[in-house]
Amino acid sequence: KSLPEESHLANNDNGKMAASLDKVNDAMTLMPQEPFHRGQNLNNGMQTIDKDAFSVNQREIEAHQVNLQHLCRICGGSFKNDPCKRSHPVHGPVDDEMQALLKKKEKRATSWPDLLNKVFKIDVREDMDTIHPTNFCHNCWSVIQRKFSNVPCEVYFPRKGTMEWHPHSTSCDVCGTSSHGIKRKKQDPSPQGGKRLRIIAERARKITYARSQKQVNSKSIMKKITNCKKIHLSTKLLTVDYPVDFVKSISCQICEHILADPVETTCRHLFCRLCILKCLKIVGSYCPSCRYPCFPTDLVNPVKSFLSILNTLAVRCPVKDCHEEVTLGKYTHHLSSHKEKKE
């Protein structure tokens, strides 16, 4: 072959080699790009799923908060059960009616958290809106009123203790039962439990019937039970001849002596602490005056103004050869001075 033909063939081979190399390079550049694009698409898909899940969770939490607004913070009951739809803010100021009641009892409270802590023993200051309701029902308000008014009335508290609140979850009691209030968990009754309950109920009926037959109404028996002549002062030792009604108001309704360490029952009757505790232990858990149910935990101190009037009353010293007149507030100190002299 001639030289021009050989150079032409060599140029053709070089062109083919260059084209094949370009194809390989294109293939190499395309190979890593495909999985990169796939991974980017997967990441975008995961981000959209996360956003959707977050929006669903956010909607559930918002619905949970809406349901909480219809429930009582203390008992968990629904406001829809109250025909008047009455509710009170947990963190708000005390209403005028409760303020007037506290003023009569010579007690002060400016906000509901203080009263709720005193009555129900719960601290609502650290509550979260996403977990705890922000209002409480009128029934729980009546319980607080009864605590400070001591008026005999039947107020039903639907639970043994206050409600415990938890964050929103898949098995959320709040979202499932918001319309009727949160219900207690039911226990399956055992076959032996029914018979046992019937026996206990029959025994309780017999005991209550026996107690009703043996009512202790005689004041003489009450006085024998207390036996406090040597401890408490007689109303005859008062230096001033007060009206009969006033003397009755400052005397114990069991022993008829001047009130010593007075306590007030739920039915607003006054007794010496020692006398009423003895009667409740021996006779039964009811007021000796009106037979209204009464327990040692229901006894409270009278208002301070009544105690100050009682302590300013003048009495004659019952010790022989001592004709001194002292006030009831200083009587114990005066009596201790007599004991020191004897010693």
Side-chain angles (χ1 to χ4, degrees), residues 108-234:
R108 292 181 181 178
T110 55
S111 60
W112 282 117
D114 298 332
L115 286 179
L116 295 175
N117 194 12
K118 286 179 182 177
V119 178
F120 298 105
K121 309 299 181 188
I122 55 171
D123 188 9
V124 297
R125 291 182 179 87
E126 297 180 359
D127 282 6
M128 298 175 66
D129 294 342
T130 54
I131 300 173
H132 305 90
T134 55
N135 297 311
F136 63 97
C137 64
H138 192 71
N139 191 44
C140 294
W141 182 90
S142 302
V143 173
I144 300 169
Q145 186 191 33
R146 181 179 178 270
K147 177 73 175 177
F148 291 102
S149 64
N150 293 335
V151 176
C153 61
E154 293 183 3
V155 179
Y156 173 66
F157 189 68
R159 288 177 173 270
K160 290 182 180 178
T162 55
M163 186 67 194
E164 292 183 3
W165 301 95
H166 304 284
H168 177 67
S169 61
T170 53
S171 60
C172 182
D173 293 332
V174 173
C175 298
T177 58
S178 61
S179 59
H180 304 289
I182 298 174
K183 296 180 180 178
R184 299 176 189 172
K185 293 181 180 179
K186 294 183 179 179
Q187 295 180 352
D188 297 329
S190 60
Q192 295 179 354
K195 187 177 179 181
R196 197 174 294 171
L197 285 171
R198 283 196 299 272
I199 294 167
I200 293 168
E202 189 65 30
R203 284 180 183 174
R205 276 195 292 270
K206 288 179 181 179
I207 290 166
T208 51
Y209 179 75
R211 283 182 180 176
S212 64
Q213 293 297 318
K214 296 177 181 179
Q215 291 180 356
V216 183
N217 294 324
S218 177
K219 285 188 177 181
S220 61
I221 296 172
M222 292 283 187
K223 288 178 182 179
K224 286 179 182 178
I225 290 169
T226 55
N227 192 19
C228 58
K229 284 183 181 179
K230 296 180 180 179
I231 305 170
H232 299 158
L233 295 171
S234 173

Side-chain angles (χ1 to χ4, degrees), residues 235-264:
T235 53
K236 295 177 182 178
L237 295 173
L238 290 168
T239 57
V240 180
D241 189 13
Y242 292 108
V244 178
D245 293 335
F246 179 77
V247 174
K248 283 183 179 178
S249 66
I250 60 161
S251 58
C252 175
Q253 298 190 27
I254 296 173
C255 65
E256 296 181 344
H257 295 149
I258 299 171
L259 287 165
D261 191 11
V263 290
E264 187 179 354

Side-chain angles (χ1 to χ4, degrees), residues 309-329:
I309 292 168
L310 187 67
N311 289 328
T312 54
L313 295 176
V315 293
R316 291 188 298 274
C317 181
V319 179
K320 287 183 180 181
D321 301 330
C322 181
H323 305 287
E324 193 173 345
E325 294 180 359
V326 291
T327 58
L328 279 174

Side-chain angles (χ1 to χ4, degrees), residues 23 30 33 96 110 136 158 225 243 257 261 264 270 303 305:
K23 287 179 181 179
L30 288 171
Q33 285 178 359
D96 296 336
T110 55
F136 63 97
I225 290 169
H257 295 149
D261 191 11
E264 187 179 354
L270 292 168
V303 292
S305 56

Side-chain angles (χ1 to χ4, degrees), residues 273-336:
R273 189 184 294 273
L274 186 65
C275 297
I276 186 65
L277 288 176
K278 281 184 178 180
C279 286
L280 292 177
K281 187 177 181 181
I282 296 168
V283 179
S285 299
Y286 58 85
C287 175
S289 297
C290 64
R291 301 190 66 79
Y292 187 80
C294 179
F295 298 93
T297 52
D298 297 333
L299 303 176
V300 294
N301 294 324
V303 292
K304 293 179 182 178
S305 56
F306 176 80
L307 293 175
S308 63
I309 292 168
L310 187 67
N311 289 328
T312 54
L313 295 176
V315 293
R316 291 188 298 274
C317 181
V319 179
K320 287 183 180 181
D321 301 330
C322 181
H323 305 287
E324 193 173 345
E325 294 180 359
V326 291
T327 58
L328 279 174
K330 297 179 180 178
Y331 174 73
T332 52
H333 179 70
H334 177 76
L335 195 63
S336 61

